[in-house]
Amino acid sequence: MSVLHRFRLRRRGGWAQSPVLWVMGVACLVEVCLHASRYRVPPPPRELDAPFYSSCQEPATDGPRENAAIVMLARNEEADKAARSVRSIDDKFNRWFQYPIVFLNDEPWTDDFVRQLNATTSAPTFFENVPKAQWTFPSWMDKDAARTSIKDQGDAGILYAGKETYHHMCRFFSGSFYTIEALKKYKWYWRLEPDVEFSCAITYDPFLEMARHKKIYGFTISLWEEKRTCPSLFREVSDWKAAQDIPDTTLWKASVDASWMPWPFRSLLSWFSHRDAAGDGWNLCHYWSNFEIADLDFFRGQKYQDLYQHLEHSGGFYYERWGDAAVHSLAVNMLAEPQQVHHFADFGYRHDWYYQCPANAPGGQLPESQTLNDAQSRWADEIPGGAGCRCDCDGRTNRNHASYCLHKLKAPNTADRPWSTWLLSFVF
């Protein structure tokens, strides 16, 4: 048999018969599985984030209060939308608890706005202005280059990225918002946007419960971030995290999709967007920050402010369109423990097209309560498993958006893991 013929047989016998290739293949598979296991989020020994209450409560109208405020950033021309939001939160919550409402604007308030909003609520109101230095480009930045980048982003069709004031807003809410004079006296805040709607009665004090349960951040809706708004954000945050030697929390692991590329090729993926230096990716899931109830001291803390300064000097708030929701989410998931984050599953909430609508708790609507009846005497059907109080939305449709991110970000706090979330982890 010729040498050439033997070579052809060897090739025809296939690479599958090569023990070296088999060993290499198995080794790669084992290495990839071990690497992926580093980001596994184990089920907690118990539920760490149940609703504070799963039925209506008699509002404690004369009970203790936390040092807290409801905060809205708005413009004079948004008076009608702002009034709708304030009227909604007043009807469903603040009529009983009377927390002050702080309105922020980067321009002087008009008399018409002040008059209309004061007529909407009986709670104390304060109309403040954002300091000019906090609503502009950083002093060190080349403003012409930044404006050119903003125009290019807008021309490329990146969501809101062509609006200079939107970049200012994201920068403001990501950093200096927490330290401005108007909010210095408060420990807690509830962020309220113009044109939102609350569809369930909130008959307990969420600030009080957040403090009592040692929570620092609360949310209602979680979504995917728009990919093109922040291609370098995750790399900047993860590089800072590594430089500070901050260990992975289970919340951080829930934000990361481990790469299935074997070593040593995995690190090559770091050249792509939304990847860390090791090549692992951010799944883009974030807490939708137009609603958040949070401890201001967390964001005023040294760690968060150091992170913000790092991000500030990278220029990404202008050369890209980093959103405050993504910044908050990555920071919370890096610096907080899972039991410190709360999902307000019992709150009915709508902003723009997206909503969360809990079902009403059977037998928990307190029909005999005169206090609640004075505010609302009709509500949607009660459904087994519901946690809402007098919700007037249809609880049979709990939300009108994909639940993947909600389940991913709640995974460190619950053993309830829908199979679809596990499956979609391989897709996204």
Side-chain angles (χ1 to χ4, degrees):
M1 182 181 294
S2 70
V3 173
L4 180 60
H5 185 60
R6 286 198 301 269
F7 177 73
R8 285 174 176 167
L9 284 176
R10 192 174 296 119
R11 288 184 63 192
R12 195 178 305 136
W15 299 99
Q17 293 185 7
S18 169
V20 174
L21 291 177
W22 269 104
V23 170
M24 289 178 62
V26 171
C28 284
L29 181 61
V30 170
E31 191 278 333
V32 164
C33 290
L34 288 174
H35 176 75
S37 70
R38 289 182 51 222
Y39 291 97
R40 177 179 175 270
V41 178
R46 58 184 175 82
E47 293 296 307
L48 300 179
D49 186 40
F52 295 137
Y53 295 96
S54 56
S55 62
C56 294
Q57 305 298 303
E58 192 68 33
T61 55
D62 56 354
R65 298 288 183 265
E66 286 294 318
N67 179 18
I70 298 166
V71 183
M72 176 188 286
L73 178 70
R75 293 185 174 279
N76 290 308
E77 59 268 25
E78 295 178 305
D80 290 341
K81 292 180 178 180
R84 281 198 292 272
S85 295
V86 170
R87 190 177 298 113
S88 182
I89 200 172
D90 216 57
D91 288 345
K92 300 297 187 181
F93 167 72
N94 215 31
R95 66 189 300 151
W96 301 305
F97 296 94
Q98 294 290 290
Y99 275 103
I101 306 175
V102 179
F103 296 94
L104 298 175
N105 190 349
D106 64 302
E107 299 174 349
W109 292 108
T110 63
D111 292 340
D112 286 343
F113 187 99
V114 173
R115 189 181 306 111
Q116 183 173 346
L117 270 295
N118 276 334
T120 306
T121 180
S122 59
T125 55
F126 301 91
F127 297 85
E128 306 285 355
N129 290 114
V130 178
K132 290 295 183 185
Q134 310 303 334
W135 199 271
T136 187
F137 299 99
S139 58
W140 54 266
M141 181 171 282
D142 183 332
K143 297 177 178 59
D144 291 335
R147 288 191 171 107
T148 298
S149 176
I150 290 170
K151 182 180 183 304
D152 291 343
Q153 293 171 55
D155 292 344
I158 299 173
L159 187 65
Y160 305 131
K163 300 178 179 180
E164 180 179 314
T165 189
Y166 197 89
H167 291 260
H168 292 330
M169 181 198 71
C170 292
R171 174 185 177 238
F172 172 66
F173 269 129
S174 294
S176 58
F177 167 75
Y178 309 101
T179 60
I180 63 172
E181 193 64 35
L183 298 182
K184 277 186 177 178
K185 64 182 178 180
Y186 300 110
K187 176 175 172 57
W188 297 92
Y189 81 103
W190 180 335
R191 180 168 164 183
L192 182 68
E193 293 280 309
D195 197 24
V196 304
E197 180 183 7
F198 295 89
S199 52
C200 302
I202 302 167
T203 55
Y204 62 88
D205 185 339
F207 297 117
L208 200 66
E209 297 303 326
M210 290 281 285
R212 181 178 296 162
H213 290 86
K214 296 180 172 56
K215 305 285 187 179
I216 63 169
Y217 190 84
F219 71 101
T220 53
I221 292 173
S222 55
L223 301 169
W224 282 292
E225 182 57 289
E226 294 282 345
K227 282 187 175 183
R228 295 194 298 160
T229 64
C230 55
S232 68
L233 175 60
F234 182 65
R235 180 61 181 272
E236 290 290 345
V237 174
S238 59
D239 282 354
W240 183 85
K241 174 179 175 291
Q244 301 296 314
D245 199 26
I246 297 174
D248 291 345
T249 64
T250 52
L251 280 173
W252 181 262
K253 292 178 180 180
S255 301
V256 176
D257 284 339
S259 169
W260 289 91
M261 181 75 75
W263 181 90
F265 306 107
R266 184 181 304 122
S267 61
L268 297 177
L269 296 176
S270 65
W271 291 93
F272 294 91
S273 60
H274 309 298
R275 297 274 174 175
D276 62 18
D280 295 306
W282 176 33
N283 57 28
L284 298 173
C285 291
H286 69 286
Y287 310 111
W288 212 26
S289 64
N290 51 74
F291 172 101
E292 53 187 9
I293 297 178
D295 184 346
L296 283 161
D297 288 342
F298 170 78
F299 292 104
R300 291 168 180 153
Q302 192 64 52
K303 283 289 188 185
Y304 181 84
Q305 287 298 316
D306 286 350
L307 170 63
Y308 170 69
Q309 288 302 321
H310 172 78
L311 298 178
E312 166 89 330
H313 285 87
S314 73
F317 289 111
Y318 294 95
Y319 294 115
E320 296 178 13
R321 201 233 73 192
W322 293 354
D324 54 277
V327 172
H328 292 185
S329 300
L330 289 171
V332 167
N333 290 348
M334 173 173 50
L335 300 174
E337 294 300 324
Q339 65 271 17
Q340 294 178 294
V341 178
H342 181 64
H343 176 223
F344 284 98
D346 56 319
F347 279 24
Y349 177 73
R350 178 202 59 79
H351 178 60
D352 290 340
W353 181 78
Y354 297 104
Y355 67 77
Q356 172 179 277
C357 173
N360 283 317
Q365 303 306 303
L366 295 186
E368 71 282 359
S369 171
Q370 190 59 49
T371 301
L372 298 187
N373 290 339
D374 288 343
Q376 179 185 0
S377 58
R378 301 178 65 184
W379 51 89
D381 292 342
E382 300 170 19
I383 299 175
C389 173
R390 300 199 177 196
C391 304
D392 51 30
C393 55
D394 186 354
R396 290 172 297 182
T397 305
N398 190 245
R399 61 185 63 87
N400 65 345
H401 53 277
S403 58
Y404 171 82
C405 281
L406 178 64
H407 292 307
K408 284 290 286 186
L409 295 179
K410 287 184 65 174
N413 282 326
T414 181
D416 183 14
R417 311 281 181 85
W419 67 268
S420 57
T421 302
W422 177 84
L423 178 63
L424 287 172
S425 294
F426 292 93
V427 178
F428 298 101

